[in-house]
Amino acid sequence: MSESDMAIIKPEMMKSYIWLETSDGSIQQVEQEVAMFCPFICHQVLQKGGGSSKNNAISLPQKVNPAMLSLIFDYCRFHQLPGRSNKERKVYDEKFMRMDTKRLCELTSAADSLQLKPLVDLTSRALARIIEGKTPEEIREIFHLPDDLTEEEKLEPLKNTMDDPRIRLLNRLYAKKRKELKEREKLKSIEVEEHVDERSVDDLLSFINGRDHKVVNTSKRKKKTKKRKEHKNGTCKVSNKDSHNLHSKQRSVDETSFSLGGVSNLHNIEDDIFSRKAEFEDGYIDDEIDPALKEMLDREVEDFARRLNSSWVLSVGQERQPVHFSINGNGDTRRLTGKEGGGDEWFDFSSVTLGEASDPPEYDKVPSDREELVLDVPSSSSTSLFTFELPLSISELELLREDTSR
Amino acid sequence: MKPGIDDQSKPQTMIQEKYTKRYQNLKVAEALSNNHFYPFACNELSSIIDLGYSQLPKDLKAFIFRDCLSAFRLLPEMNTSAAVSAANLLVKSVESAFPKQKKNLAIVEFKQAKVALKRRTKSHDEHIDLPSLPQDILVHIFSFLDVSSLLSSSQVSRSWNQATSEGSLWRSLFDLHFSHKVLIHIYPGIDWREAFKNEYILYKSSKMLRSGRGYCSYCDSVVWHDNLRCPKKQCRLKSGKKPLDLMLTHQVVNYLLGTTSSSDESDSEDEAVRGLWAYPTLQ
């Protein structure tokens, strides 16, 4: 306070109290040093001469109710004493911040309207710590906020404007795998042998990932070889499903490749492989799966993967390397169903929520659970906090829908 | 004391101690009690168990076991689904790698934690109306958040969504993550969020941030990074604006076990990343 300010203040006020009126009409008095710690009150006293008497009480902003006011003054009372060490203040602050979220919010508002910046900082940090690491659902629950965004709006900031058609193809294949998984989930409750199909999903996925079967977790591999054996001994019925799946996958991959049009590199490669496959498809009317045929297809799929990866590396250039793709085998209904805006995103929130890969283990079930659902090799860690995917335009999305509805 | 036997056992115990010491330096146990690091720490434990439990010396196995138990015990306090996911994953690793007795103990602990968790979520059922925070306060709060939390917040509600579109937030994130390696042309009306997003994708940040780990060259250790910086104050002062070298989980495990396994990710991008595994030999 400057000299002139001191002159304005009547000497009686030096040791007295300041009168304040809260939003609910109640009037109270507070020690001057404490109250003056708040810039708002300070201004009011100095510039408008308020708070000198009961009739002349300073009316506080709406957001400050009596409970919050007393909290704030506790804070002020502690901190306005210059004699306190930094450590003491820190300890006090830690303790002070321990309250439920509701009070924390109220306190933040109140402190903000009284312009008490240090307290605003403190409460903001505390709130940030609460928000950190939580999914939108959880945050909504804690803060009792309404879910008033449309699906479109939620994903609006996540839209990616990358345009590479190869990426789109892969994205489409990914989306396909996801849908198939979902269907499989439903069928699972009906058919127990369903899990045998998983292997073909894995294969196709591995080709997408360009995954070398060597570079795999040993435990996973063991499970895989187990499945391979099971598969070979499979029944006719089972192999039916499997072949049908392969069928539809190939068909859809075919289509997506043809719809790409202007991608010269990829198109040629795909043409090669898929034209050969088409031959098999035509003669593939009977339902028995030929293990030799399957092996051949597997090899071709891997070949395609390798070529895809290599051509991608070449064309994109030296500084950049193939962007890593990952999917989560979960929670995609939110993104793909009933949306016109397309699945454009670079940030997959379904990964932040409980994933299928991270479902609580059911101790009676076959341990292959974990494997078949984890499509995404790298983020087999369920807390893949971040995964991203590349855009699907509206037309592509529709194409996908067509395919799967067949 | 037969000198011959001594000589033989000495190098072995020294090696064992080295592993144990490395593990302790990793400070996994401390991270578990921190809300923010709990999922990262669980993932790391899972990776360590998956990739090398059988090779570990006996005392290190005991440490890992102890940490798994405490992870499960702390689960009820961590109130996020991310934590639950991480714990589930840890249990699966435990199931596949631990010997029978330890496995059963761990699973019992896990089940108890799940029960406690259920009880907790049931008790929270008050429908009060919280006061709505003004936009500038929201922006202020968001300025303390990391990328994923910020994006989560943008999906919460309309008012929060508006607050997250504030350019200054994304600008400071951009600064934090990329300013040391990206030159950006700043023009009036620049959309910082877009700029950030593009660099984020380019640098595969989502993958690198998955572990929560970084290597600090100033203190020569693998640390849990605090907003891409070393948690130690001196290192922060020395490094200025430069962020840590982020590490992937499998790299951390490699450091611990002295192995060279690559991650499950087979992409050729790993070529560049694999080179990083050979951090200067840390004690």
Side-chain angles (χ1 to χ4, degrees):
Chain A
M1 288 200 254
S2 67
E3 285 282 302
S4 47
D5 285 344
M6 300 281 269
I8 296 171
I9 297 170
K10 297 180 193 161
E12 303 94 84
M13 277 182 75
M14 292 307 289
K15 282 191 190 145
S16 67
Y17 291 70
I18 297 188
W19 294 89
L20 305 161
E21 180 181 359
T22 50
S23 50
D24 60 343
S26 61
I27 302 179
Q28 51 179 287
Q29 51 180 1
V30 184
E31 303 98 306
Q32 188 183 313
E33 323 82 66
V34 175
M36 292 295 260
F37 201 68
C38 303
F40 176 86
I41 298 178
C42 205
H43 286 322
Q44 291 287 330
V45 167
L46 294 175
Q47 276 146 29
K48 303 188 184 157
S52 49
S53 67
K54 209 172 189 177
N55 298 327
N56 195 8
I58 303 174
S59 50
L60 296 173
Q62 244 234 328
K63 301 212 170 139
V64 188
N65 58 45
M68 290 303 116
L69 193 62
S70 67
L71 266 181
I72 291 180
F73 284 148
D74 286 340
Y75 179 84
C76 293
R77 201 166 288 125
F78 183 88
H79 281 275
Q80 56 94 16
L81 274 181
R84 304 217 191 257
S85 72
N86 276 339
K87 198 172 185 190
E88 280 183 347
R89 292 178 195 266
K90 257 196 157 178
V91 171
Y92 178 85
D93 286 345
E94 282 285 300
K95 254 188 149 180
F96 192 71
M97 279 302 110
R98 288 200 206 137
M99 61 179 88
D100 57 277
T101 317
K102 177 170 186 258
R103 297 183 95 197
L104 214 44
C105 283
E106 286 180 350
L107 187 57
T108 316
S109 293
D112 178 58
S113 47
L114 288 180
Q115 299 156 12
L116 194 52
K117 192 144 198 314
L119 188 55
V120 174
D121 262 350
L122 202 57
T123 48
S124 298
R125 276 176 204 268
L127 284 170
R129 247 176 282 140
I130 293 178
I131 295 172
E132 206 169 48
K134 298 215 163 63
T135 67
E137 264 308 305
E138 293 167 342
I139 298 176
R140 247 178 261 136
E141 223 191 277
I142 293 177
F143 288 88
H144 302 289
L145 292 165
D147 184 1
D148 55 358
L149 289 166
T150 63
E151 283 296 315
E152 171 84 47
E153 286 171 322
K154 280 183 193 171
L155 296 157
E156 192 272 320
L158 308 175
K159 274 203 199 120
N160 195 355
T161 44
M162 268 163 74
D163 225 357
D164 195 298
R166 260 167 302 188
I167 297 173
R168 271 192 261 129
L169 163 69
L170 290 173
N171 207 23
R172 226 172 314 186
L173 293 172
Y174 268 29
K176 185 139 280 124
K177 296 306 146 285
R178 260 181 266 129
K179 287 196 172 164
E180 256 142 8
L181 255 187
K182 223 158 278 134
E183 288 160 31
R184 201 155 295 120
E185 279 281 71
K186 294 179 198 155
L187 295 173
K188 214 179 192 176
S189 49
I190 311 168
E191 306 257 343
V192 181
E193 299 104 315
E194 199 53 39
H195 71 268
V196 181
D197 286 331
E198 253 59 74
R199 215 185 60 74
S200 58
V201 179
D202 274 346
D203 276 351
L204 262 134
L205 271 177
S206 69
F207 103 68
I208 291 169
N209 279 331
R211 172 165 79 166
D212 248 357
H213 287 281
K214 302 163 197 163
V215 187
V216 157
N217 246 337
T218 46
S219 57
K220 274 193 178 166
R221 208 197 300 163
K222 282 185 197 153
K223 290 179 186 165
K224 273 210 153 168
T225 49
K226 244 189 258 171
K227 280 192 181 159
R228 279 186 200 267
K229 288 182 191 158
E230 283 178 43
H231 175 74
K232 292 224 164 99
N233 300 333
T235 59
C236 236
K237 188 179 189 188
V238 169
S239 58
N240 259 358
K241 284 226 172 55
D242 197 25
S243 64
H244 174 71
N245 272 328
L246 255 184
H247 247 290
S248 58
K249 277 169 212 156
Q250 282 169 14
R251 232 182 290 132
S252 50
V253 171
D254 262 351
E255 282 181 345
T256 53
S257 72
F258 292 142
S259 71
L260 276 182
V263 189
S264 46
N265 247 0
L266 192 61
H267 202 63
N268 295 333
I269 300 169
E270 289 176 323
D271 253 342
D272 268 352
I273 297 179
F274 289 124
S275 57
R276 273 191 283 156
K277 283 215 174 106
E279 290 172 46
F280 292 124
E281 273 182 37
D282 287 342
Y284 204 45
I285 302 173
D286 62 10
D287 287 334
E288 293 228 311
I289 195 170
D290 182 5
L293 175 64
K294 190 149 209 321
E295 302 268 275
M296 180 157 24
L297 291 171
D298 289 352
R299 255 181 282 123
E300 286 187 1
V301 153
E302 268 185 303
D303 193 42
F304 174 70
R306 241 175 291 124
R307 289 201 219 179
L308 186 67
N309 255 343
S310 58
S311 65
W312 169 239
V313 177
L314 286 174
S315 63
V316 173
Q318 244 76 41
E319 334 85 66
R320 298 192 200 185
Q321 289 183 314
V323 174
H324 186 72
F325 309 118
S326 54
I327 343 167
N328 271 299
N330 63 14
D332 305 309
T333 41
R334 214 158 29 113
R335 270 186 288 114
L336 287 180
T337 56
K339 250 171 38 325
E340 253 37 65
D344 306 359
E345 37 197 295
W346 59 295
F347 212 91
D348 179 358
F349 281 98
S350 53
S351 64
V352 180
T353 58
L354 260 174
E356 284 161 350
S358 56
D359 272 344
E362 296 174 53
Y363 293 104
D364 324 309
K365 247 193 190 177
V366 179
S368 55
D369 265 0
R370 175 186 179 189
E371 198 207 337
E372 65 205 17
L373 293 174
V374 179
L375 303 179
D376 175 23
V377 178
S379 58
S380 59
S381 76
S382 52
T383 58
S384 54
L385 297 174
F386 314 85
T387 62
F388 83 91
E389 285 197 311
L390 304 148
L392 288 177
S393 70
I394 295 175
S395 53
E396 286 157 358
L397 197 62
E398 283 170 12
L399 191 72
L400 254 187
R401 287 214 195 101
E402 256 176 52
D403 286 344
T404 49
S405 63
R406 207 176 297 163
Chain B
M1 287 259 220
K2 293 170 191 152
I5 292 177
D6 266 358
D7 285 345
Q8 275 182 342
S9 59
K10 219 180 186 179
Q12 253 236 326
T13 46
M14 269 168 61
I15 292 171
Q16 289 181 353
E17 281 166 11
K18 179 172 78 173
Y19 286 138
T20 317
K21 197 162 181 221
R22 280 186 185 174
Y23 181 74
Q24 282 167 336
N25 285 340
L26 281 179
K27 300 206 171 110
V28 177
E30 285 93 324
L32 282 174
S33 38
N34 181 320
N35 228 307
H36 177 69
F37 292 122
Y38 180 89
F40 294 132
C42 281
N43 277 357
E44 219 169 74
L45 276 173
S46 292
S47 293
I48 293 174
I49 294 173
D50 283 341
L51 294 175
Y53 183 75
S54 45
Q55 312 157 232
L56 297 175
K58 201 173 180 190
D59 49 348
L60 188 47
K61 278 185 180 164
F63 276 122
I64 302 260
F65 177 61
R66 176 203 70 183
D67 287 342
C68 287
L69 288 183
S70 63
F72 296 143
R73 240 172 258 139
L74 289 166
L75 179 60
E77 294 168 37
M78 308 290 159
N79 231 329
T80 64
S81 55
V84 176
S85 291
N88 282 332
L89 197 72
L90 183 56
V91 146
K92 289 183 178 171
S93 299
V94 162
E95 272 186 331
S96 58
F98 273 22
K100 194 169 186 188
Q101 216 184 20
K102 285 186 174 173
K103 174 166 71 174
N104 291 336
L105 284 171
I107 290 177
V108 161
E109 198 67 48
F110 176 72
K111 286 185 173 172
Q112 284 178 344
K114 297 286 278 190
V115 169
L117 203 59
K118 257 196 171 168
R119 246 185 257 134
R120 225 173 238 245
T121 48
K122 273 193 186 156
S123 60
H124 276 253
D125 259 293
E126 326 138 47
H127 290 284
I128 337 163
D129 255 320
L130 282 184
S132 55
L133 296 164
Q135 287 286 301
D136 50 346
I137 291 191
L138 280 179
V139 171
H140 189 53
I141 294 176
F142 293 157
S143 64
F144 298 116
L145 292 178
D146 60 312
V147 191
S148 73
S149 309
L150 186 58
L151 284 167
S152 292
S153 308
S154 74
Q155 298 198 326
V156 170
S157 77
R158 196 169 288 271
S159 53
W160 283 42
N161 186 284
Q162 274 183 318
T164 52
S165 57
E166 174 71 38
S168 59
L169 295 171
W170 294 102
R171 179 174 191 163
S172 55
L173 278 175
F174 187 97
D175 263 351
L176 178 68
H177 286 242
F178 306 121
S179 65
H180 66 292
K181 51 186 169 184
V182 172
L183 283 177
I184 183 164
H185 171 229
I186 302 177
Y187 53 89
I190 181 175
D191 183 347
W192 282 103
R193 184 165 61 190
E194 275 305 307
F196 178 85
K197 193 202 303 181
N198 291 333
E199 297 304 321
Y200 186 87
I201 292 173
L202 200 62
Y203 283 98
K204 295 187 274 287
S205 302
S206 84
K207 176 172 142 187
M208 297 308 290
L209 286 169
R210 231 175 259 163
S211 64
R213 287 288 199 182
Y215 169 70
C216 177
S217 47
Y218 297 93
C219 56
D220 193 32
S221 54
V222 176
V223 292
W224 294 109
H225 68 75
D226 164 23
N227 234 351
L228 304 188
R229 305 267 188 267
C230 183
K232 301 186 189 111
K233 206 169 182 188
Q234 309 100 297
C235 301
R236 273 206 296 268
L237 289 173
K238 285 189 216 167
S239 62
K241 271 191 105 183
K242 183 166 166 266
L244 295 179
D245 293 322
L246 295 175
M247 287 174 78
L248 300 172
T249 306
H250 81 271
Q251 290 173 322
V252 177
V253 180
N254 285 344
Y255 153 68
L256 174 66
L257 303 175
T259 55
T260 59
S261 71
S262 63
S263 69
D264 289 348
E265 302 151 63
S266 64
D267 307 354
S268 48
E269 65 185 351
D270 254 14
E271 297 297 298
V273 168
R274 232 177 267 138
L276 289 174
W277 83 266
Y279 284 98
T281 34
L282 305 173
Q283 274 318 296

